[in-house]
Amino acid sequence: MRIGFKLIAEAYSPTEIVAQAVKAEEAGFDFVEVSDHFHPWVSEHEHSGFAFSMLAAIAARTSRLELATGVTCPFIRYHPAIVAQAAATTALLSDGRFTLGVGAGERLNEHVVGQGWPAATTRHEMLREALEIIRLLWSGGYQSYDGKHLRLEDARVFDLPDELPGIAVAAGGTEAARLAGELGDALFVTEPRPDLIDEFVKAGGSGPRYAEVPLAWAPSVDEAAESARRLFRFGVTGWPVQSELPNPLNFDAATELVTAEHMRDQFGCGPDVRRHLEVATQYADAGYDHLALINAGPDMDGFFDFFRTDLGPALRSADAQGN
């Protein structure tokens, strides 16, 4: 099992995100993944730095920590040619430590360029074409592509690493999981669903299986749950809502009735390592082998200390016993 840390770029400034990544490496995490958003989710967040700039800075300040986007939508706001170039450059700057996480995106971030927001079926078609374009450009030379939705004209990515980045495809349903198996190198999820792994494998997938694990560390359960409500209440709305609302004010309205008690049900809240381990092992038991731990608690340094002394050793011990 590889244990990673989720960098919440909507809740912290770009400089703090880079500092957290450095601390994550020092605390013993294997990788970090950073969200790639234009807007934050809710009004309390107040940040949303450019993911690839932060990754470049993290690469320069760390030595062994693996990096990933969690995740990038490679169409509408970006053209896939730009994503192919950005990912290749990040892989070079990190000495091969980068994985490109991709997904079908959210209206929250993609509508800002004025190109509309397609239906879900169209977005999956566009994601497929975007992955084909990225793979094409990574094969070297000048390339063109004429798809149903996306086009590429006489383009070449000049700086390519000897070992290309892996591509982890986010899936909230079976169709996306099959796409991950067909065109991706890894699967990326936010729920402990073994059925998504089944579809990934059936479609030919054999690589890593990433999952985000919802935790909130604080000296008390109540403090942790309230912090999770403030920072992560958007997560309880479900993917049909998360993908469709256009700005933080809409998410504030949609989550007005979410309470700290709701968060206690979904997050590992408080200081008890047993509760955090219980939540994390749901994902490991479902078959996920790259766990990206979220800390929605109010004290990031406290969480890193907790991981270093308690949670990290407990997770690695549980993994060793399971194997």
Side-chain angles (χ1 to χ4, degrees):
M1 179 192 297
R2 306 285 285 173
I3 304 174
F5 177 68
K6 170 72 172 185
L7 296 164
I8 311 171
E10 300 81 30
Y12 300 94
S13 72
T15 52
E16 177 60 21
I17 288 294
V18 175
Q20 287 180 14
V22 173
K23 292 175 182 178
E25 182 175 67
E26 293 170 349
F29 282 97
D30 299 313
F31 69 94
V32 293
E33 50 110 343
V34 62
S35 45
D36 185 353
H37 278 207
F38 190 87
H39 284 154
W41 290 102
V42 291
S43 57
E44 288 93 336
H45 283 168
E46 298 184 340
H47 297 283
S48 199
F50 186 58
F52 285 99
S53 295
M54 292 184 286
L55 287 165
I58 293 167
R61 293 189 56 187
T62 58
S63 59
R64 62 161 188 83
L65 194 69
E66 296 171 9
L67 317 175
T69 49
V71 294
T72 294
C73 179
F75 54 88
I76 303 182
R77 179 169 50 112
Y78 299 122
H79 188 279
I82 304 304
V83 175
Q85 181 190 35
T89 299
T90 305
L92 286 166
L93 292 173
S94 63
D95 295 321
R97 291 182 281 140
F98 177 65
T99 295
L100 175 63
V102 299
E106 307 95 8
R107 184 191 296 265
L108 178 72
N109 306 297
E110 307 309 316
H111 82 278
V112 298
V113 294
Q115 298 298 314
W117 182 238
T121 54
T122 302
R123 298 199 302 271
H124 282 110
E125 292 174 355
M126 296 176 78
L127 179 57
R128 177 180 291 275
E129 291 188 3
L131 289 172
E132 291 174 350
I133 288 172
I134 291 169
R135 295 288 193 195
L136 190 63
L137 285 168
W138 285 356
S139 69
Y142 288 92
Q143 303 290 347
S144 297
Y145 181 97
D146 188 10
K148 179 180 178 182
H149 305 287
L150 301 174
R151 290 172 177 78
L152 181 75
E153 183 178 340
D154 201 24
R156 176 183 173 185
V157 175
F158 276 81
D159 290 292
L160 291 172
D162 292 334
E163 184 175 347
L164 295 170
I167 298 178
V169 180
T174 55
E175 182 181 349
R178 288 192 291 269
L179 180 61
E182 292 175 36
L183 294 178
D185 302 298
L187 178 67
F188 190 108
V189 307
T190 58
E191 298 176 276
R193 290 175 52 180
D195 63 308
L196 297 180
I197 294 178
D198 292 342
E199 295 298 327
F200 173 66
V201 172
K202 287 178 186 176
S206 61
R209 300 175 295 278
Y210 289 81
E212 292 186 347
V213 179
L215 307 176
W217 184 89
S220 72
V221 172
D222 289 345
E223 186 180 1
E226 175 56 25
S227 180
R229 186 200 65 79
R230 290 184 62 256
L231 296 180
F232 248 84
R233 65 185 183 274
F234 65 88
V236 305
T237 60
W239 190 244
V241 174
Q242 285 179 249
S243 64
E244 296 299 333
L245 298 184
N247 61 56
L249 293 177
N250 297 120
F251 279 97
D252 286 344
T255 59
E256 186 177 5
L257 300 180
V258 175
T259 67
E261 191 61 34
H262 291 128
M263 307 310 293
R264 287 179 64 164
D265 293 338
Q266 296 194 21
F267 277 66
C269 291
D272 189 346
V273 68
R274 292 172 297 181
R275 173 56 181 158
H276 290 259
L277 190 61
E278 177 187 10
V279 173
T281 53
Q282 293 177 34
Y283 293 82
D285 290 347
Y288 294 93
D289 56 16
H290 282 58
L291 304 187
L293 309 186
I294 296 166
N295 177 39
D299 181 358
M300 201 60 75
D301 287 339
F303 177 77
F304 286 133
D305 289 341
F306 173 66
F307 177 81
R308 182 186 297 108
T309 60
D310 297 303
L311 182 57
L315 281 170
R316 298 195 192 280
S317 176
D319 179 51
Q321 292 173 17
N323 292 332

